[in-house]
Amino acid sequence: MPSPNTSPRTSLTGLMLVAPALAVVILLFVVPLASSVTGSFATPEGPGFGNFRKAFELYWTDMVFSAVIILISTALIVLIAVAIAGYLTLGNNPLAVAALRWLYRWPLFVPFIVVGQILRTFLAKNGLMNSLLVNADLLSPLQAVSFLDWRGIVIAFVWKQMPFVTLLTAGAMASLDRSTIEAARNLGASRLRILLEIVVPQVASTLLVGAVLSLVTMMSVLSVPLMINAQSPTMITADMAFRINSYGDYGVANALGLLSLAFTGAVAWIYLRQTMKENAR
């Protein structure tokens, strides 16, 4: 409620300032989301769960595949981000720290579609990776295998999202009180022990934010599974595009989208619940 000292003119001015942003949110998020939710229950026979039954019958394997790929990628992103951010915080070689700080951020500026094209060229059976191994006599041409499958998707997701989580984590680690770290060093603790027992617990909330945001981002990517893993099973996003482009079946596509939203929503709920517990302490 407005305070007694707030004039109607001031309230109107504030509403006018907020109105454009509010209109954008409603038109570009709320309305499409509501249309997708209602469309997922719309069938030729009337409202019902037919689209969801069809989605489970046709794409249950792809749903499991998508969840596994996303969870594996998220876990690897967190591990690598902790390793890089930990070395940036605890490393003793200034040259190595500076080089690593400069190199790890590059994928931040590469779009997902470019990532898919780069790794399609790099990970193919006759791609750059196998060519380098063959030329180095580490692999024979007959031993070369293609990584354009689930492994390629994981590599693409980790390579693209790892810098984002690392940037958040390294910033959180840099803001920590160095006295506890120096005290642990004086007592003879190794860098690995300092990282795992002192540093990581203090930046766990930031790390969790990065993991959740990366998971949601990866769940929405279409270009990478289409360009790297064209065979079945594949990601739900590719199935949604296939239903729309091949059959004009927006009902099943909306159902798959709602299931994806439920998955990311469950992860977000776990994060919010953990955050509320920490704030309540």
Side-chain angles (χ1 to χ4, degrees), residues 85-86 89-90 173 176 181 193-204:
T89 304
L90 304 174
M173 289 183 179
L176 295 178
I181 298 175
R193 187 172 182 181
I194 294 173
L195 176 64
L196 297 180
E197 297 185 10
I198 296 177
V199 176
V200 171
Q202 296 185 71
V203 300

Side-chain angles (χ1 to χ4, degrees), residues 199-223:
V199 176
V200 171
Q202 296 185 71
V203 300
S205 59
T206 302
L207 195 59
L208 185 59
V209 170
V212 171
L213 293 177
S214 294
L215 185 147
V216 173
T217 299
M218 292 184 292
M219 198 67 187
S220 65
V221 175
L222 172 62
S223 55

Side-chain angles (χ1 to χ4, degrees), residues 11 16 49 52 56 80 85 89 103 115 123-124 144 166 188 203 220 223 234 242:
S11 300
M16 291 177 63
F49 293 93
F52 291 93
F56 277 104
I80 298 173
T89 304
L103 286 173
V115 172
L123 300 175
T166 302
V203 300
S220 65
S223 55
T234 188
F242 175 76

Side-chain angles (χ1 to χ4, degrees), residues 12-13 56 80 89 113 145 185 207 218 233 235 239 241 263:
L12 181 60
T13 302
F56 277 104
I80 298 173
T89 304
I113 191 169
V145 296
R185 279 178 171 170
L207 195 59
M218 292 184 292
M235 301 287 291
D239 295 329
F263 176 73

Side-chain angles (χ1 to χ4, degrees), residues 180-276:
T180 55
I181 298 175
E182 297 303 326
R185 279 178 171 170
N186 294 335
L187 292 174
S190 64
R191 280 187 293 181
L192 180 60
R193 187 172 182 181
I194 294 173
L195 176 64
L196 297 180
E197 297 185 10
I198 296 177
V199 176
V200 171
Q202 296 185 71
V203 300
S205 59
T206 302
L207 195 59
L208 185 59
V209 170
V212 171
L213 293 177
S214 294
L215 185 147
V216 173
T217 299
M218 292 184 292
M219 198 67 187
S220 65
V221 175
L222 172 62
S223 55
V224 168
L226 283 181
M227 301 179 73
I228 292 181
N229 183 43
Q231 66 268 23
S232 183
T234 188
M235 301 287 291
I236 293 180
T237 49
D239 295 329
M240 294 168 64
F242 175 76
R243 296 306 302 183
I244 294 173
N245 295 331
S246 299
Y247 298 103
D249 189 354
Y250 287 88
V252 173
N254 285 330
L256 290 171
L258 192 57
L259 292 171
S260 300
L261 181 62
F263 176 73
T264 55
V267 175
W269 177 78
I270 294 173
Y271 159 69
L272 291 174
R273 184 178 180 184
Q274 182 66 26
T275 302
M276 292 176 64

